[in-house]
């Protein structure tokens, strides 16, 4: 197709696909209840209720797990901003509106259960956590103007949902707590189903308007940032998570980017026009650079960990 379609035309053409995938999602999604994943018998009152306020020694989580849990929870907390972005760039009507509502309701469970777990187990400072939540949610998520529209946003959430799944899954592994691991595996399963919905809709967009969709995918991947970008201590915590293998460049490339691009058959398609070909070439060059960046990052990380080990710093991961 040589003619660009408008936002409304794309949404109208793809609504049957949205309805089909909504029904698929509803047939596969499993209901679960946040209260079933929280060890309530570990809870006790804080000082305002006659108990004791949080102290660092009360936490059973290591520093890596704390940083990851805080980052993942604050990311989930910004759901109102994500809802707004999705609703504005998809639609609040028909199958689109039904999906936006369902997705939002399912995502809301994630913040509920993670906060309850951290407060009940005293895993992190609840005052600092609340202060960070206020800052992050007040800032909200503000996508660049050039990132508006269905194709750009459906491409972004495809990769973002998969990245979040990886982060939750690996966070569970470093918590050294089977309760936390079980909880985060449950959240990761949700994120995977959400990713599949978005991945299928983006694939349909590629078939409908190949050049427009390819340009959107390239724009997202060459400028990708996690949705928690801008939260307090994001860079510090993100670096700590990457250093300890919770979410690093290799995982981003091999567990997020490459599998999705392979599913879409991006580099073997023959339906692109000149604009789509240029976007695909740009993406290919970017991925070549990313592969080199992965090796550089891992070399630097290995040297850093070796220096820390030589200094006798114990690493708990």
């Amino acid at each position: 197709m040589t003619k660009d379609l408008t936002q409304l035309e794309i949404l109208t053409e793809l609504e049957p696909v949205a309805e089909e995938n909504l029904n698929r999602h509803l047939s596969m999604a499993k209901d679960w209840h946040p209260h079933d994943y929280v060890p309530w018998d570990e809870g006790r009152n804080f000082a305002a209720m006659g108990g004791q306020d949080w102290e660092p020694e009360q936490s059973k989580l290591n520093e890596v797990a704390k940083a990851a849990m805080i980052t993942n929870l604050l990311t989930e907390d910004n759901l109102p901003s994500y809802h707004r972005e999705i609703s504005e760039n998809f639609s609040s009507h028909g199958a689109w509106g039904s999906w936006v509502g369902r997705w939002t309701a399912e995502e809301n469970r994630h913040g509920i259960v993670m906060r309850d777990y951290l407060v009940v187990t005293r895993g992190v400072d609840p005052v600092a956590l609340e202060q960070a939540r206020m800052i992050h949610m007040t800032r909200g998520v503000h996508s660049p103007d050039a990132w508006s529209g269905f194709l750009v946003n459906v491409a972004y959430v495809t990769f973002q949902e998969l990245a979040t799944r990886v982060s939750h899954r690996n966070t569970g592994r470093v918590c050294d707590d089977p309760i936390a691991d079980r909880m985060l595996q449950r959240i990761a399963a949700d994120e995977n189903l959400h990713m599949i919905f978005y991945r299928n809709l983006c694939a349909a967009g590629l078939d409908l308007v190949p050049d427009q969709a390819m340009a959107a995918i390239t724009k997202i991947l060459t400028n990708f940032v996690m949705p928690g970008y801008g939260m307090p201590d994001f860079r510090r915590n993100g670096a700590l998570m990457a250093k300890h293998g919770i979410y690093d460049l290799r995982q981003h490339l091999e567990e997020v980017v490459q599998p999705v691009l392979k599913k879409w058959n991006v580099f073997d398609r023959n339906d692109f026009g000149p604009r789509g070909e240029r976007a695909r070439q740009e993406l290919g060059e970017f991925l070549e650079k990313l592969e080199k960046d992965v090796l550089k990052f891992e070399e630097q990380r290995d040297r850093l960990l070796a220096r820390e080990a030589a200094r006798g710093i114990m690493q708990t991961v």
Side-chain angles (χ1 to χ4, degrees), residues 54 86 124 179 182 214 227:
W54 185 85
I86 293 293
V124 302
I179 295 174
R182 175 173 172 263
M214 190 65 243

Side-chain angles (χ1 to χ4, degrees), residues 94-107:
W96 295 114
S98 297
W99 166 256
V100 172
R102 174 73 188 202
W103 172 82
T104 304
E106 291 184 4
E107 286 284 343

Side-chain angles (χ1 to χ4, degrees), residues 143-155:
S143 300
D145 291 339
W147 284 29
S148 62
F150 169 77
L151 292 172
V152 168
N153 280 274
V154 78

Side-chain angles (χ1 to χ4, degrees), residues 254-272:
E254 295 184 356
E255 298 183 36
V256 176
V257 175
Q258 290 177 337
V260 172
L261 294 179
K262 182 178 180 180
K263 185 72 175 181
W264 289 336
N265 197 34
V266 162
F267 290 105
D268 291 317
R269 301 177 70 100
N270 59 7
D271 54 352
F272 292 129

Side-chain angles (χ1 to χ4, degrees), residues 269-289:
R269 301 177 70 100
N270 59 7
D271 54 352
F272 292 129
R275 180 168 44 146
E277 288 290 356
R278 287 194 300 271
R280 177 163 61 179
Q281 181 177 354
E282 180 185 351
L283 179 58
E285 293 170 353
F286 172 79
L287 293 178
E288 290 179 3
K289 178 181 180 300

Side-chain angles (χ1 to χ4, degrees), residues 12-26:
T12 301
E13 288 289 333
L14 294 184
E15 182 159 9
V17 184
E19 183 174 7
E20 176 186 350
N21 278 274
L22 171 61
N23 291 334
R24 176 190 181 279
H25 177 84
L26 294 175

